[in-house]
C-alpha cells in the first residue's frame, strides 16, 4: 500500500509540475507578445454616428468625446477616491488583475450584506470599454486579459485612471465623468461634493438600475453603501460622512447630453433596432463607436417635419407620422411628436390609438375573400344590430347622413359608410376579420372580435397601420419595416448588412416555394387598392361627399387611401406604389377634438407631404392582374349601367364575378310596375338580413 501511495504522489507531483510549466509558458508567450505589439492606442473613437440613406450624418451619440475629456488633475479628488474604493481598492498595487479579490468576490457576496465587490479591475473595465464588447464569453475574457496586460505594461496608473474616468458610461447617453457631472448636477467634475461624487461612483455598476433618475431609492441606497465603505476605510472622517449622507442633492433640470440631430424620434427607433441586430444592450450601442447607415431620406424627413410645423397651429395637438417604402419596408421619415425636448414619447411606435375608419380596408379585403365584390350593395340607413349576447348596437354615420337606399361597396369605402361596414363585418364574421387582420396584415395589437371592430374601435400603432397599408401598396407581399441597412465598427468592418442577410435567407432550397412572400390575393388586393382611390374621386359623391374631397384639389398624383376619425383621433393613411404614409393627430390625454379645423390636420399634413415627396419620385404604375376585368356599374343598384343611368362608375372584378344584369332603376314606372325585380336588385342585402337575422335587425331607428 505504501508503494502505491508513493506512486500516486509522484504522479500528482508530476501533474502539478506540468501545469506549472504550461501556465508559465503561456504567460511568458503572452507577455512577450504584449511587449512586441507595443502600446495599444487609447485614442479610439467611441461616438456612435447615424447616417441617412445618402450617407449624410443625421445624428450622433457621444462616447469618449474630446471636448468632455478631463485630465486627472482637474477631476475632483473626491470622485477619484470614491471610484477607486468602490470599483478597485487595490488599483495602485496590482498589475491589472486582483487575484485575491477575484477569488474572494463570490464568497464575500454570499456571506455579507455590505457593498458588493466585483472581480474586474479598473484596468480590465477600461480595456473592455476601449476594445471589446460586453458579451460574456471565454474568447472575450481572453482578449480582455491580453489588452489589460498591454495597458498595464505601457501606461502608468494615473493614465489608466484618467482614461477610465473619461470613458465609463453613466447612463442617459453620458460618457465620462465630465459629461455625467453636467448631466446629473449641471456642474464640472472639478467641483463635486462627497455626496455628489459618491452618487456618481455608484452608477456605472448598472446605469439602468442605479441612476437616480430611474430609481432614486435604489441609487440613494448604493450611495450610502459607498460612503460607509469610505468611512470604514478611513478615507473620510465621521463628520464628512454624516454631512454627505444628509446632503440634499441638487439635480440638474436640463439633462442634455445626447445629440439628436435631424430625426430624434427616428434615431430612437434606430437604437432599438441596432440593439436587436447586434444582440447588445442599449449601453453597448451608445458606447460602441458604431457607424450606422439608415434608410432615412433627409428630404422626406425635413418635409414631414416642416408640414406638421406649418399646418398644425394648435400647439397642444400632437402628431405621429411615418413614411415607408412599400417595396422594401424601409422607413424613410418619422415624426413621433411636435417637440422631442418636451416629450420623447414616440407616437408612431409607442402610442396605441383607435384608427377609426382607417381600419376598414382590412375589413373589405376580408369581404372580397368571402365573395363580396366592389358592386355588392347593402342598405345605408339607421340600423340597430342585435348581437349574439342579446345586446343592441347602433352605429351611426358622420353627421347622421344616410343614403336611405342601397349603395355599393366602392361607394361605401369612398364615403366611409359605417352601417355598410358593420353589416359587412357581420357577414364575414368578426372572428374571421380578426384572423385576417392579424395573420395577413400583421397587426400585433390585441383585437376583440366585436361588431364595432369594423369602425376601428380597437387600439393599434401607426407603425402597424402603415405596414399593413404597405402590403396593399406592394401587391400583397409580406413586408417588415426597418431603419438600418448596414452597421460597421469604427474601423469600417461590416458588423451587419441587411441586404446580405436577406440574400442568405432567400437562398435557393429544394423545398422552397415560389412567391412565398405573397400573402394577400393579388386580384383582391388590386381591386381594393382601386376602390381606395375613390376617397379622392368626387364622381362617387352621394348622400355626402367623398372623405378626401377637402384635399382632392391639392393632389396632382394618383393615390389610394383611407381616413379615420373618432372623437379623439384623426388618421390619414395612403399610398402610391412608391411610398406609404400615415399621419395621426390628436391630444395625448385623449381630449375630444372640438374644432372642425383641428379635424383636418392629418389630411392636410399627409397631402402636403405626399405631393412634395413625389416631386422627386418617378411615377409607377401597377400592372393589372390578367384575371381582373372592368365593368361600368350603376351606383344605385350595383348592376351593369345602361345608357340611361346617370350615377355610374367603372369598377373592377375578378373575371366571372362581375354583374350580368343591367340596371332598370332609372325607369320609375318600371319600379312601380315590377317591384319584384327591384327587390331582386338588392337581394344581397336581403341575403345578409336573412342569414344573420339572429345577430341584428334592420329596423329604422325613430
Amino acid at each position: 500500500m505504501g508503494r502505491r501511495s508513493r506512486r500516486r504522489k509522484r504522479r500528482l507531483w508530476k501533474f502539478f509540475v506540468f501545469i506549472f510549466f504550461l501556465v508559465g509558458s503561456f504567460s511568458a508567450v503572452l507577455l512577450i507578445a504584449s511587449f512586441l505589439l507595443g502600446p495599444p492606442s487609447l485614442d479610439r473613437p467611441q461616438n456612435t454616428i447615424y447616417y441617412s440613406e445618402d450617407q449624410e450624418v443625421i445624428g450622433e451619440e457621444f462616447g469618449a468625446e474630446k471636448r468632455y475629456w478631463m485630465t486627472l488633475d482637474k477631476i475632483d479628488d473626491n470622485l477619484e477616491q470614491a471610484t477607486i474604493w468602490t470599483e478597485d481598492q487595490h488599483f495602485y498595487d496590482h498589475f491589472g488583475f486582483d487575484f485575491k479579490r477575484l477569488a474572494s468576490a463570490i464568497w464575500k457576496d454570499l456571506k455579507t450584506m455590505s457593498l458588493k465587490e466585483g472581480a474586474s479591475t479598473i484596468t480590465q473595465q477600461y480595456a473592455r470599454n476601449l476594445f471589446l464588447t460586453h458579451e460574456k464569453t471565454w474568447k472575450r475574457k481572453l482578449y480582455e486579459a491580453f489588452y489589460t496586460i498591454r495597458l498595464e505594461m505601457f501606461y502608468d496608473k494615473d493614465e489608466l485612471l484618467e482614461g477610465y474616468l473619461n470613458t465609463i458610461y453613466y447612463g442617459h447617453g453620458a460618457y465620462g465623468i465630465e459629461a455625467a457631472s453636467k448631466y446629473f448636477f449641471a456642474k464640472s467634475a472639478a467641483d463635486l461634493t462627497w455626496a455628489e461624487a459618491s452618487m456618481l461612483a455608484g452608477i456605472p455598476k448598472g446605469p439602468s438600475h442605479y441612476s437616480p433618475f430611474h430609481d432614486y431609492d435604489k441609487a440613494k441606497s448604493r450611495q450610502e453603501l459607498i460612503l460607509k465603505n469610505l468611512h470604514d476605510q478611513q478615507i473620510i472622517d465621521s463628520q464628512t460622512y454624516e454631512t454627505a449622507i444628509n446632503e440634499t442633492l441638487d439635480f440638474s433640470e436640463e439633462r442634455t447630453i445626447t445629440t439628436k440631430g435631424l430625426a430624434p424620434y427616428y434615431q430612437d427607433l434606430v437604437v432599438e433596432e441596432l440593439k436587436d441586430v447586434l444582440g447588445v444592450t442599449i449601453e453597448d450601442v451608445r458606447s460602441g463607436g458604431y457607424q450606422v447607415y439608415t434608410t432615412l431620406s433627409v428630404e422626406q424627413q425635413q418635409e414631414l417635419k416642416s408640414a406638421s410645423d406649418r399646418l398644425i397651429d394648435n400647439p397642444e395637438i400632437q402628431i405621429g407620422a411615418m413614411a415607408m417604402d412599400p417595396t422594401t419596408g424601409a422607413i424613410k421619415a418619422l415624426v413621433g411628436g411636435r417637440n422631442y425636448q418636451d416629450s420623447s414619447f414616440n407616437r408612431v411606435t409607442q402610442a396605441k390609438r383607435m384608427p377609426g375608419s382607417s381600419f376598414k380596408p382590412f375589413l373589405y379585403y376580408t369581404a372580397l375573400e368571402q365573395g363580396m365584390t366592389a358592386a355588392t350593395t347593402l342598405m345605408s340607413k339607421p340600423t340597430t344590430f342585435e348581437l349574439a349576447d342579446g345586446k343592441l348596437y347602433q352605429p351611426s354615420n358622420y353627421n347622421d347622413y344616410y343614403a336611405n337606399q342601397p349603395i355599393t361597396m366602392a361607394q361605401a369605402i369612398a364615403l366611409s359608410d359605417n352601417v355598410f361596414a358593420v353589416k359587412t363585418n357581420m357577414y364575414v364574421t368578426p372572428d374571421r376579420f380578426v384572423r385576417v387582420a392579424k395573420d395577413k396584415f400583421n397587426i400585433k395589437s390585441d383585437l376583440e372580435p366585436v361588431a364595432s371592430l369594423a369602425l376601428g374601435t380597437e387600439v393599434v400603432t401607426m407603425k402597424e397601420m402603415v405596414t399593413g397599408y404597405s402590403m396593399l401598396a406592394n401587391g400583397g407581399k409580406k413586408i417588415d419595416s426597418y431603419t438600418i441597412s448596414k452597421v460597421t465598427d469604427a474601423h469600417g468592418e461590416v458588423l451587419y448588412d441587411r441586404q446580405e442577410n436577406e440574400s442568405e435567407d432567400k437562398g435557393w432550397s429544394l423545398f422552397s416555394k415560389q412567391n412565398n412572400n405573397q400573402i394577400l390575393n393579388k386580384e383582391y388586393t388590386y381591386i381594393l387598392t382601386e376602390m381606395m382611390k375613390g376617397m379622392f374621386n368626387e364622381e362617387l359623391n352621394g348622400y355626402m361627399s367623398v372623405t378626401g374631397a377637402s384635399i382632392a384639389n391639392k393632389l396632382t398624383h394618383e393615390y389610394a387611401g383611407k381616413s379615420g376619425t373618432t372623437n379623439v383621433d384623426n388618421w390619414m393613411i395612403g399610398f402610391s406604389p412608391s411610398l406609404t404614409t400615415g399621419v395621426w393627430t390628436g391630444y395625448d390625454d385623449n381630449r375630444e377634438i372640438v374644432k372642425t379645423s383641428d379635424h383636418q390636420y392629418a389630411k392636410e399634413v399627409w397631402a402636403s407631404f405626399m405631393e412634395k415627396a413625389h416631386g422627386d419620385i418617378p411615377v409607377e404604375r401597377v400592372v393589372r392582374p390578367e384575371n381582373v376585368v372592368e365593368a361600368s356599374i350603376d351606383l344605385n343598384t350595383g348592376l351593369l349601367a345602361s345608357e340611361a343611368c346617370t350615377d355610374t362608375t367603372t369598377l373592377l372584378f375578378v373575371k366571372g364575378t362581375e354583374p350580368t344584369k343591367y340596371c332598370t332603376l332609372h325607369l320609375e314606372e318600371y319600379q312601380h310596375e315590377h317591384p319584384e325585380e327591384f327587390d331582386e336588385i338588392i337581394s344581397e342585402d336581403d341575403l345578409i338580413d336573412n342569414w344573420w337575422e339572429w345577430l341584428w335587425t334592420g329596423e329604422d331607428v325613430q
Side-chain angles (χ1 to χ4, degrees):
M1 292 293 294
R3 186 176 299 171
R4 290 180 181 175
S5 178
R6 286 194 295 273
R7 285 200 196 101
R8 193 178 298 114
K9 288 181 180 179
R10 281 198 295 271
R11 290 194 192 102
L12 191 59
W13 174 251
K14 288 180 181 178
F15 174 77
F16 280 122
V17 170
F18 171 75
I19 293 297
F20 175 79
F21 279 107
L22 180 64
V23 173
S25 300
F26 177 79
S27 300
V29 170
L30 190 61
L31 289 170
I32 292 171
S34 299
F35 178 78
L36 293 176
L37 286 172
S41 173
L42 303 182
D43 190 24
R44 182 178 181 270
Q46 292 192 8
N47 297 353
T48 292
I49 302 174
Y50 303 97
Y51 299 91
S52 70
E53 61 178 357
D54 296 325
Q55 299 191 12
E56 177 181 337
V57 175
I58 59 172
E60 182 175 8
E61 293 188 276
F62 299 133
E65 257 205 305
K66 293 303 179 183
R67 66 175 178 173
Y68 286 127
W69 192 276
M70 291 280 285
T71 57
L72 198 61
D73 62 316
K74 292 182 180 179
I75 298 175
D76 195 288
D77 185 63
N78 296 349
L79 188 282
E80 293 179 38
Q81 295 284 358
T83 299
I84 290 173
W85 285 95
T86 300
E87 295 292 333
D88 188 359
Q89 296 183 11
H90 305 291
F91 172 68
Y92 280 99
D93 301 322
H94 60 63
F95 187 67
F97 306 96
D98 191 339
F99 295 107
K100 181 179 179 181
R101 180 184 176 196
L102 180 63
S104 65
I106 298 176
W107 180 250
K108 284 186 177 181
D109 286 346
L110 293 174
K111 289 201 65 173
T112 71
M113 297 300 293
S114 62
L115 185 66
K116 291 185 178 180
E117 187 174 357
S120 292
T121 64
I122 284 176
T123 312
Q124 286 175 280
Q125 293 181 57
Y126 188 30
R128 188 187 312 143
N129 291 340
L130 282 176
F131 308 111
L132 305 168
T133 67
H134 290 255
E135 60 179 344
K136 295 181 180 180
T137 64
W138 285 108
K139 181 179 179 181
R140 197 271 292 164
K141 290 181 181 296
L142 286 173
Y143 276 116
E144 181 183 298
F146 177 63
Y147 281 113
T148 298
I149 291 172
R150 292 180 66 194
L151 287 173
E152 288 279 353
M153 184 177 289
F154 293 101
Y155 298 99
D156 63 38
K157 291 290 187 178
D158 285 347
E159 288 178 296
L160 298 178
L161 180 61
E162 179 181 304
Y164 172 81
L165 290 173
N166 279 285
T167 57
I168 196 67
Y169 184 56
Y170 289 87
H172 306 282
Y175 294 87
I177 187 56
E178 180 70 359
S181 296
K182 290 180 177 180
Y183 185 86
F184 288 97
F185 299 114
K187 61 166 60 176
S188 171
D191 305 313
L192 297 171
T193 66
W194 273 113
E196 294 165 343
S198 56
M199 177 61 76
L200 292 178
I203 296 175
K205 181 179 177 67
S208 60
H209 296 289
Y210 296 112
S211 165
F213 297 151
H214 286 316
D215 190 329
Y216 178 79
D217 291 338
K218 189 177 290 185
K220 180 64 177 174
S221 178
R222 180 160 172 78
Q223 178 217 33
E224 291 175 356
L225 285 174
I226 291 172
L227 288 170
K228 184 178 184 302
N229 184 51
L230 291 169
H231 180 255
D232 292 345
Q233 298 296 332
Q234 299 182 352
I235 305 301
I236 59 176
D237 57 28
S238 297
Q239 183 178 352
T240 303
Y241 170 73
E242 291 296 333
T243 300
I245 282 286
N246 296 309
E247 181 179 324
T248 300
L249 294 173
D250 184 17
F251 292 111
S252 170
E253 294 295 332
E254 296 182 4
R255 307 180 190 179
T256 303
I257 288 296
T258 303
T259 290
K260 300 287 185 181
L262 175 68
Y265 294 99
Y266 179 91
Q267 188 171 316
D268 283 348
L269 190 59
V270 174
V271 169
E272 289 301 312
E273 187 174 327
L274 187 59
K275 179 184 70 173
D276 291 336
V277 299
L278 296 184
V280 295
T281 66
I282 290 180
E283 286 82 1
D284 295 333
V285 165
R286 289 170 173 161
S287 62
Y290 301 114
Q291 310 292 298
V292 185
Y293 298 89
T294 75
T295 61
L296 187 82
S297 165
V298 172
E299 292 78 12
Q300 290 184 22
Q301 178 66 31
Q302 290 174 333
E303 178 51 38
L304 188 58
K305 184 66 168 66
S306 173
S308 66
D309 291 343
R310 184 177 70 255
L311 297 172
I312 302 177
D313 54 17
N314 182 337
E316 295 185 80
I317 290 280
Q318 281 292 346
I319 184 171
M322 185 174 98
M324 175 191 291
D325 182 333
T327 303
T328 65
I331 299 176
K332 312 297 286 185
L334 187 149
V335 173
R338 300 289 298 280
N339 189 312
Y340 186 85
Q341 296 300 323
D342 291 343
S343 170
S344 62
F345 181 72
N346 193 327
R347 293 153 188 87
V348 170
T349 60
Q350 294 175 288
K352 288 195 173 186
R353 309 287 299 217
M354 290 189 293
S357 294
S358 65
F359 207 68
K360 289 177 181 175
F362 307 143
L363 168 67
Y364 289 120
Y365 175 83
T366 308
L368 292 174
E369 282 194 332
Q370 296 304 306
M372 294 178 72
T373 72
T376 297
T377 55
L378 297 175
M379 182 67 73
S380 168
K381 66 179 182 179
T383 305
T384 299
F385 296 85
E386 184 178 354
L387 307 179
D389 58 5
K391 293 182 179 180
L392 300 180
Y393 174 54
Q394 182 182 328
S396 61
N397 282 347
Y398 176 71
N399 280 345
D400 288 327
Y401 293 155
Y402 301 90
N404 291 309
Q405 65 181 30
I407 61 173
T408 62
M409 180 191 290
Q411 197 170 30
I413 294 176
L415 304 180
S416 200
D417 190 287
N418 289 337
V419 174
F420 192 108
V422 175
K423 287 186 177 183
T424 301
N425 191 21
M426 294 296 98
Y427 170 67
V428 303
T429 76
D431 285 323
R432 181 177 285 113
F433 179 21
V434 168
R435 286 199 300 273
V436 170
K438 295 182 79 67
D439 296 344
K440 295 192 174 183
F441 289 97
N442 204 27
I443 302 297
K444 301 294 187 184
S445 297
D446 293 335
L447 302 174
E448 287 293 324
V450 293
S452 62
L453 180 61
L455 310 184
T457 55
E458 298 294 294
V459 294
V460 294
T461 67
M462 174 59 76
K463 186 180 177 185
E464 288 176 306
M465 293 294 289
V466 172
T467 302
Y469 271 59
S470 290
M471 292 184 65
L472 297 174
N474 69 25
K477 294 183 177 61
K478 177 183 178 182
I479 190 171
D480 295 310
S481 62
Y482 70 96
T483 62
I484 299 175
S485 56
K486 186 174 71 172
V487 183
T488 72
D489 63 15
H491 305 289
E493 181 180 350
V494 177
L495 304 177
Y496 169 81
D497 189 310
R498 182 179 179 86
Q499 190 171 4
E500 288 185 5
N501 284 18
E502 287 183 341
S503 298
E504 292 174 3
D505 292 340
K506 295 178 182 178
W508 184 87
S509 169
L510 180 64
F511 303 102
S512 64
K513 297 180 180 180
Q514 288 185 341
N515 298 325
N516 58 354
N517 283 331
Q518 188 71 41
I519 304 298
L520 307 179
N521 177 280
K522 288 189 213 177
E523 288 79 14
Y524 298 149
T525 301
Y526 185 85
I527 291 170
L528 177 58
T529 297
E530 289 298 306
M531 283 195 288
M532 290 171 67
K533 294 177 182 178
M535 74 169 291
F536 308 114
N537 181 5
E538 298 191 70
E539 292 181 1
L540 293 176
N541 286 345
Y543 62 89
M544 60 181 175
S545 299
V546 293
T547 54
S550 62
I551 56 173
N553 63 345
K554 301 177 182 179
L555 306 178
T556 60
H557 296 75
E558 190 173 63
Y559 308 107
K562 190 73 189 74
S563 58
T565 302
T566 73
N567 290 336
V568 298
D569 302 280
N570 285 295
W571 297 67
M572 178 61 214
I573 311 176
F575 55 86
S576 71
S578 307
L579 192 66
T580 305
T581 301
V583 179
W584 165 88
T585 58
Y587 295 103
D588 280 340
D589 58 4
N590 285 297
R591 266 180 291 160
E592 183 177 355
I593 301 172
V594 179
K595 292 182 179 180
T596 302
S597 58
D598 290 352
H599 281 288
Q600 289 297 311
Y601 292 142
K603 290 178 182 176
E604 291 174 359
V605 171
W606 181 88
S608 175
F609 170 76
M610 289 293 275
E611 283 294 290
K612 287 284 187 179
H614 282 78
D616 299 322
I617 298 177
V619 177
E620 291 188 43
R621 300 288 182 186
V622 178
V623 178
R624 181 194 298 178
E626 294 181 1
N627 201 31
V628 172
V629 297
E630 64 181 32
S632 179
I633 301 297
D634 175 71
L635 288 174
N636 297 313
T637 64
L639 299 178
L640 295 174
S642 67
E643 292 183 2
C645 292
T646 55
D647 297 328
T648 66
T649 191
T650 299
L651 299 181
L652 299 176
F653 304 87
V654 175
K655 190 173 183 180
T657 66
E658 66 272 23
T660 56
K661 294 182 179 180
Y662 279 89
C663 168
T664 57
L665 189 59
H666 64 286
L667 299 175
E668 293 184 8
E669 306 82 18
Y670 192 89
Q671 174 183 341
H672 291 295
E673 294 173 7
H674 303 277
E676 71 283 356
E677 291 191 22
F678 178 72
D679 290 339
E680 183 179 356
I681 289 173
I682 59 172
S683 60
E684 287 174 292
D685 195 24
D686 293 337
L687 173 64
I688 294 177
D689 285 339
N690 295 331
W691 197 349
W692 301 103
E693 186 174 0
W694 67 284
L695 288 179
W696 60 279
T697 62
E699 299 177 352
D700 288 348
V701 179
Q702 300 300 323

